[in-house]
Amino acid sequence: MTSAGAVTRILLRKNLLKNGRVAALPNTGFVKFYSAAPTYENIKINVVGSKKNVGLIQLNRPKALNALCMPLFIELGKAVKDFDADGTISAIIITGNEKVFAAGADIKDMQNQTYSSLQRAGTLKGWDEVSNCGKPVIAAINGIALGAGCELAMLCDIIYAGEKAQFGQPEINIGTIPGAGGTQRLPRYVGKSKAMEIVLTGNFFSAQEAEKMGLVARVFPVEKLLEETIKLAERIGTHSPLIVKLAKQAVNQAYETNLAAGLLYEKSIFYGTFATNDRKEGMTAFVEKRAPRFKND
Ligand code: CAA
């Protein structure tokens, strides 16, 4: 049985999938799989990098400044899940366009919601697909990342930004608060005082300030951002996928627990790497002065 993710990949490799849609239906054996390939309205997906091992997801609702409506988020979750399940993908990038990452949750969708309608729908629970992803997820942000856009970036493992990027949690301006992790993740990145200032004023802050605060790992010229982010993903892709996954789990544990429990967790993962062939291969390659040949094992 071929999964939808595998079908997507076959189509991307054969340049048959354009902007999340099947571009042509040639008379080949692939035709039978087309019905399983996902078509996306609000995102574009692609496989990039010199080894075609980086999954690229581009938010694509430009008229609404990529406001994160529920269908977009369902599509995003599905794309992340598919790339995570695809053994040939090493890392995933989430980006927008050169002017906007995302202007937040869709205010027009939310305008007439009620407490009970949000409860019934379990609004924003679908975000777990991004945070549950085992592979590294990197946000590449040009332009604005506001409200849930900033919160989506914070769900990712690494944030790279273009020099004109603007961040903010402006929910207070529209009578609500960040609801997709902003009040919890932002203080973990930037500390309480800065987080309070950002959440209580709704003021925007620049890529340079975000880098200074530790929210953003690096800032690049706008036109270089995606290229540099792909380079980062490719660099991660040179390592053992198995060990990358364990390293990601260990770093994330620092945000879930106290220091003593985190150090214990780290030690058990460290010892655990000695049960893998890739750890053995990595150290053997070092001693033999050659490049390692990792097998994800
Ligand atoms: N939801 C829905 N539509 C949005 C939107 C949003 N978050 N942000 C922008 N848009 C729409 C606008 O309504 C407008 O659509 P129309 O052309 O149909 O009127 C279009 O995108 C362009 O927007 P503007 O004309 O406002 O563009 P601008 O350049 O003048 O201003 C902006 C840009 C400063 C980002 C401004 O659009 C803005 O303040 N947007 C809202 C930002 C915000 O408050 N985000 C938080 C949302 S709440 C949230 O995210 C909750 C949560 O934590 C889960």
Side-chain angles (χ1 to χ4, degrees), residues 1-222:
M1 181 78 181
T2 307
S3 71
V7 171
T8 305
R9 182 154 185 87
I10 290 166
L11 295 174
L12 285 169
R13 279 197 182 287
K14 293 187 168 285
N15 290 326
L16 295 176
L17 197 63
K18 299 277 183 218
N19 300 341
R21 292 171 183 284
V22 176
L25 292 173
N27 190 15
T28 72
F30 289 109
V31 170
K32 65 180 178 218
F33 298 131
Y34 284 157
S35 60
T39 56
Y40 294 120
E41 299 288 334
N42 302 287
I43 61 172
K44 295 179 187 177
I45 58 167
N46 219 322
V47 175
V48 296
S50 54
K51 293 189 177 156
K52 291 276 179 199
N53 63 344
V54 179
L56 178 69
I57 302 172
Q58 189 182 4
L59 309 178
N60 186 37
R61 283 188 81 205
K63 285 189 183 146
L65 305 186
N66 290 343
L68 300 164
C69 59
M70 195 45 76
L72 186 154
F73 224 84
I74 291 169
E75 290 180 10
L76 178 63
K78 171 151 185 43
V80 168
K81 210 171 167 186
D82 284 350
F83 279 138
D84 198 23
D86 185 332
T88 65
I89 294 293
S90 302
I92 299 163
I93 297 173
I94 302 178
T95 195
N97 57 51
E98 288 206 349
K99 297 213 170 106
V100 58
F101 179 70
D106 193 309
I107 300 170
K108 291 167 189 167
D109 275 4
M110 289 186 295
Q111 185 188 359
N112 296 318
Q113 296 283 353
T114 63
Y115 171 77
S116 44
S117 69
L118 294 180
Q119 276 289 2
R120 275 195 304 271
T123 300
L124 298 174
K125 284 187 185 153
W127 290 59
D128 294 349
E129 299 290 6
V130 179
S131 49
N132 287 342
C133 180
K135 289 176 184 167
V137 184
I138 309 162
I141 298 185
N142 268 324
I144 51 170
L146 302 175
C150 187
E151 290 167 304
L152 170 59
M154 289 190 284
L155 280 183
C156 298
D157 300 307
I158 302 170
I159 306 176
Y160 273 9
E163 61 196 354
K164 295 197 177 137
Q166 291 275 308
F167 297 81
Q169 296 291 158
E171 290 89 344
I172 200 94
N173 297 330
I174 53 169
T176 186
I177 69 165
T183 65
Q184 303 305 301
R185 289 197 176 90
L186 192 58
R188 285 169 164 81
Y189 277 103
V190 305
K192 175 175 168 176
S193 182
K194 276 282 176 201
M196 279 290 187
E197 185 189 41
I198 291 163
V199 171
L200 299 186
T201 62
N203 289 347
F204 300 174
F205 53 99
S206 67
Q208 293 73 15
E209 288 173 272
E211 186 184 25
K212 213 160 105 192
M213 287 179 215
L215 180 63
V216 159
R218 277 173 208 270
V219 178
F220 297 98
V222 171

